[in-house]
Amino acid sequence: MFLTLLLMPPLFLMAQTESLTVSSLNSSPIEPHVLQITKSNFNITLQANDVVFINFYADWCHFSARLAPIFETAAIRLAEDLPKSAKVRLGRVDCMSEVELSNLCAITKFPTLRIFYRGHPLRREYRGKRSVEALVEYVKKQFQFAIKRFNDMEQLEMINVKRRSVIGFFDNRKKPEFAIFEQLAERYKHDCDFYQRVGPKLDNVSYTQRMPTIVYRPDTARTHATDELFLGDMTNKSVFEAWLLKKCVPLVREVDFGNVEEIIEQGLPLLVLFHMPNDMSSVKDFKSIVEMQLTDCGQFNFVTVDGLKFEHSVHHMGKTHRDLPIIAIDSLKLMYPYPHFRDMYIPGHLKQFVDTFNSQHLNLQLNITNTTNNENKKPSNSTFRYLGPSKYRYTLIGHDEL
């Protein structure tokens, strides 16, 4: 009996091995928590998921190396926290081996983190904290519906007058315009607030006689502008998006520490209004004059900033909060103060200041002795240049500084 048992194991093990082999062949491979994305699977990944969060990296970049395990842990957490039905994928692109894909996505620094929602990139990349908790929260936030629904005009009193808003009136949800509106609302939800009403026309609101209709409502606390209707063909997505971009990302933008990095990254000189927090009158006037006079003044970013939050820049020009409001050009190398804020109201005076800068004579003019107070108005070093993408956080491609 003992001899028989000794002879049996090889046959038994063979059966077990065969069983394991068949089982291994039939089981699905375990997908990685973070998908390696290439040109060949990029589009299909975007199509198969509602949210795709991509880390564009380079192996030799030490910031990319530090982010990799954090990104991996965030993917694991999301898989645990989100329901199985959630179509979310975290992926990564090796920009050194996927140069064409990197260029297509306009990657200028490593690592760059970008969300694609239903196949389309959000307008803004992720620039927040590089922690598991922050990344998880950011992805979960994408599932918050971008559009607030309302039934009657009285409900629109909830609109924040400090935010730009887009209001859509639709008679049903089946028209293509409805789907386009919802898609673009997701893309521009960080720039505008979106509101939507589905139902018959309102007898007391003239512009709802034409359905669908879109109304842009400006941030009335910060501008003299008024409501404006979209009069184009809303089924033409590119035309509607161009109009939406112009309205939601206006010529003059308010800058804070949440969006200053992306503005400085563009590398354009700034025309800046420094103002007191509660001084909306100067903000409205500045925006109106810029929009009337400076739309064709070359490549500039026109911005307004809270002069107390950016007090370092004010002090750098030899001024204090008592001198606000102040206008200045920041070339991202030097800051050139505008002589007097009140001169902005002289027709063409602010435009002449910008034109002089563009013609590269501003430096000479600002070094001329001011005969009134016998001070040399020499430009000071830029303070905004240091608020762009930091070399201590990113590897910048092609240059070390802006």
Side-chain angles (χ1 to χ4, degrees), residues 343-355:
D343 292 345
M344 175 183 75
Y345 297 101
I346 301 172
H349 197 274
L350 186 60
K351 184 178 188 303
Q352 183 182 8
F353 177 69
V354 173
D355 287 344

Side-chain angles (χ1 to χ4, degrees), residues 170-181 210-212 235:
F170 301 88
D171 51 7
N172 68 70
R173 292 180 169 85
K174 296 181 180 179
K175 290 186 177 180
E177 295 95 324
F178 185 86
I180 291 172
F181 182 81
R210 172 181 178 262
M211 289 283 203
T235 60

Side-chain angles (χ1 to χ4, degrees), residues 264-323:
I264 301 304
E265 186 177 13
Q266 296 171 12
L268 299 176
L270 310 174
L271 181 66
V272 189
L273 168 68
F274 298 89
H275 64 91
M276 291 294 287
N278 59 351
D279 178 14
M280 290 298 103
S281 176
S282 65
V283 171
K284 289 182 177 183
D285 291 350
F286 176 76
K287 291 179 74 171
S288 294
I289 290 171
V290 168
E291 288 164 358
M292 286 189 296
Q293 298 183 11
L294 304 181
T295 55
D296 59 349
C297 283
Q299 294 296 304
F300 264 85
N301 271 321
F302 302 101
V303 301
T304 66
V305 302
D306 182 330
L308 298 186
K309 289 182 180 178
F310 287 80
E311 198 167 14
H312 175 67
S313 299
V314 173
H315 289 164
H316 218 62
M317 292 185 288
K319 307 286 186 179
T320 72
H321 68 275
R322 295 183 182 86
D323 298 303

Side-chain angles (χ1 to χ4, degrees), residues 368-384:
I368 296 175
T369 300
N370 185 330
T371 55
T372 303
N373 55 19
N374 200 31
E375 292 180 357
N376 283 337
K377 294 187 177 181
K378 294 182 178 179
S380 55
N381 290 328
S382 168
T383 56
F384 281 90

Side-chain angles (χ1 to χ4, degrees), residues 145-171 173 177-178 180-186 188-199 202 207-208 211-220 227 234 240 243-244 248:
F145 196 54
I147 302 172
K148 301 177 181 70
R149 295 192 174 101
F150 69 99
N151 295 315
D152 53 65
M153 297 302 289
E154 286 72 21
Q155 289 177 282
L156 286 182
E157 293 178 4
M158 62 182 167
I159 285 182
N160 184 348
V161 295
K162 294 182 179 180
R163 292 271 300 170
R164 296 172 292 276
S165 302
V166 180
I167 310 164
F169 295 86
F170 301 88
D171 51 7
R173 292 180 169 85
E177 295 95 324
F178 185 86
I180 291 172
F181 182 81
E182 291 205 329
Q183 184 183 97
L184 292 178
E186 286 293 343
Y188 290 90
K189 63 185 177 183
H190 299 300
D191 302 293
C192 269
D193 291 337
F194 287 81
Y195 299 84
Q196 178 190 84
R197 181 185 184 276
V198 180
L202 297 168
Y207 49 68
T208 65
M211 289 283 203
T213 190
I214 307 298
V215 181
Y216 166 72
R217 180 161 295 175
D219 45 342
T220 53
D227 288 7
M234 201 179 158
F240 180 47
W243 180 83
L244 205 59
C248 290

